Amino acid sequence: MPGLNVSLSFFFATFALCEGARRASKALLPVGAYEGFAREAVGAVQLGACCLEMRTLVELGPWAGGFGPDLLLTLLFLLFLAHGVTLDGASANPTVSLQEFLMAEESLPGTLLKLAAQGLGMQAACTLTRLCWAWELSDLHLLQSLMAQSCSSALRTSVPHGALVEAACAFCFHLTLLHLRHSPPAYSVPAMALLVTVTAYTAGPFTSAFFNPALAASVTFACSGHTLLEYVQVYWLGPLTGMVLAVLLHQGRLPRLFQRNLFYSQKNKYRAPRGKLAPALGDTQTPAKGSSGQEPGRSRVEGPHSS
């Protein structure tokens, strides 16, 4: 399978180059510049280039290379497993950055800087990947280079259905991400990779299951078949809606906008009983032992003139 070997070499080269860029930028740039811009830009290049190459294998591999779905799904899982290990905390996904902003974990300038880095990184990934395809190192790259001039839309269903599919994918992704954000990477990384693989298998035939606005914009917005407004509804508004719903379900509110929990009550589990407090030990109003049943003020032994 020479085409598969070339694609595997492309993946390894992409990971190696991006890891070198990460280490160099971490050593040369201040911490804020690295975490706010460089890390996200390099992560977007890595994610975008690998997704473009993987899309080539999915679309052309079954009939040009004889690749079965088991091989493609295994390769997709391994790719996202490697992404989770090597991205160094970068999300390379605008909806994740906006989730951090709504969770009050990131400021507005920092969020805007990350969004700009992700957009630039995805565009750079598209340019570099198409340049690699132009070298025609394999039959798959030759075909993809010819097809890149008139690409087909990744949206293969109606606009409302596509928006619903992308929203559902983003909802599952972000809800799982919120649930696992404090878990050790040994558990969270394989779980997220498995979720992405299952989501791609389920929703891929309809929208390619991007649930990443920057990735979708760089891959399919320039393709014919749908208008820009239709693409925006499916690949931008859909994932954003799914992300907001996931935050609301997980937190009960949007911490950036609301201090009060909108869904879940904050009542204490144990409530104190209403009424008067019990008399304290040694209170003067407490009847003495043996005098229960006697009226107050009446002595224990009555005098001779008592009636």
Side-chain angles (χ1 to χ4, degrees):
M1 295 182 181
L4 181 60
N5 293 332
V6 171
S7 295
L8 291 176
S9 300
F10 176 87
F11 291 138
F12 282 119
T14 300
F15 277 99
L17 291 175
C18 290
E19 184 62 25
R22 262 189 295 269
R23 294 190 178 187
S25 58
K26 184 184 292 188
L28 298 176
L29 297 177
V31 176
Y34 169 72
E35 294 182 351
F37 186 84
R39 182 175 63 180
E40 288 292 334
V42 175
V45 171
Q46 176 177 309
L47 180 64
C50 291
C51 285
L52 283 169
E53 183 68 18
M54 190 66 208
R55 190 164 182 249
T56 299
L57 294 177
V58 171
E59 292 182 348
L60 303 178
W63 62 272
F67 305 150
D70 52 347
L71 173 63
L72 296 175
L73 289 175
T74 302
L75 184 58
L76 182 64
F77 173 77
L78 294 176
L79 277 177
F80 276 93
L81 194 65
H83 284 313
V85 172
T86 60
L87 283 179
D88 193 25
S91 65
N93 190 334
T95 57
V96 176
S97 298
L98 291 174
Q99 172 192 297
E100 295 173 351
F101 174 74
L102 291 178
M103 295 283 291
E105 297 174 351
E106 185 63 72
S107 63
L108 180 59
T111 301
L112 294 177
L113 189 63
K114 286 184 177 181
L115 295 180
Q118 291 159 2
L120 293 175
M122 289 295 178
Q123 292 300 322
C126 289
T127 302
L128 295 175
T129 304
R130 291 191 175 98
L131 178 62
C132 181
W133 290 341
W135 294 345
E136 300 178 359
L137 299 177
S138 68
D139 294 338
L140 294 178
H141 285 185
L142 173 61
L143 294 172
Q144 186 61 51
S145 182
L146 295 174
M147 295 172 59
Q149 303 301 325
S150 56
C151 60
S152 59
S153 174
L155 180 59
R156 307 178 187 91
T157 184
S158 64
V159 173
H161 184 230
L164 181 62
V165 169
E166 285 290 308
C169 292
F171 175 79
C172 296
F173 175 79
H174 285 275
L175 191 61
T176 307
L177 186 65
L178 288 168
H179 184 70
L180 296 176
R181 60 179 177 162
H182 298 305
S183 300
Y187 299 101
S188 60
V189 171
M192 295 305 299
L194 180 61
L195 175 64
V196 171
T197 304
V198 173
T199 304
Y201 175 76
T202 306
F206 303 107
T207 63
S208 292
F210 288 118
F211 50 93
N212 186 326
L215 180 61
S218 61
V219 171
T220 195
F221 273 33
C223 299
S224 60
H226 294 86
T227 64
L228 179 61
L229 180 59
E230 291 174 337
Y231 282 133
V232 168
Q233 292 176 11
V234 174
Y235 293 110
W236 285 8
L237 297 182
L240 287 175
T241 303
M243 178 270 293
V244 172
L245 291 177
V247 175
L248 281 174
L249 182 62
H250 186 268
Q251 295 292 118
R253 63 191 178 100
L254 300 177
R256 177 68 64 176
L257 303 178
F258 305 103
Q259 296 296 327
R260 177 175 171 270
N261 199 308
L262 302 177
F263 292 162
Y264 309 123
S265 61
Q266 300 294 321
K267 295 180 181 179
N268 293 330
K269 184 176 180 181
Y270 302 101
R271 299 177 60 185
R274 295 181 179 179
K276 296 181 179 180
L277 296 175
L281 184 63
D283 196 337
T284 56
Q285 295 182 355
T286 304
K289 183 177 181 181
S291 62
S292 60
Q294 295 183 354
E295 298 179 3
R298 190 180 294 270
S299 63
R300 180 179 179 86
V301 180
E302 298 181 345
H305 299 287
S306 60
S307 56

